[in-house]
Amino acid sequence: MAARSGQITVTTAGTAVQGPATPTGRWFVLAAHPDNTNDVWVGNDGADDVTASNGFGLAAGDAVTVEVRRSLDELWFDADTDGEKVCWLLAGIS
């Protein structure tokens, strides 16, 4: 069975990382890890990247629910500080 939750770590701020392959056609809750010190950015600018100027910002503890067609690997994640994390949870079938 595929993972139902996980964490995405942005190792180097300013260098977006692709989300993981996950179950398809699902709703996910994305939350900035509560220990983060600055914002994380979620999205896809159409060129498989995301930045502070085109992403959806999440401060520590903020959460958003998203629907993806295939997998979280459609989204990219960046951060203002090295090592920040985004937690994800499978929320349901779309």
Side-chain angles (χ1 to χ4, degrees):
M1 177 174 278
R4 304 259 179 211
S5 64
Q7 295 185 356
I8 300 157
T9 301
V10 178
T11 305
T12 304
T15 302
V17 297
Q18 188 173 19
T22 55
T24 59
R26 310 285 190 189
W27 287 92
F28 290 88
V29 177
L30 304 176
H33 195 281
D35 292 342
N36 288 354
T37 57
N38 285 300
D39 293 341
V40 294
W41 304 95
V42 179
N44 188 329
D45 67 358
D48 294 334
D49 195 16
V50 69
T51 66
S53 64
N54 62 31
F56 185 87
L58 295 170
D62 285 352
V64 64
T65 301
V66 298
E67 181 182 18
V68 295
R69 289 176 293 160
R70 296 182 319 271
S71 173
L72 280 183
D73 63 5
E74 295 175 48
L75 297 177
W76 291 78
F77 300 83
D78 201 354
D80 291 338
T81 304
D82 293 353
E84 303 285 49
K85 297 179 182 181
V86 175
C87 306
W88 64 269
L89 175 68
L90 176 63
I93 298 171
S94 58

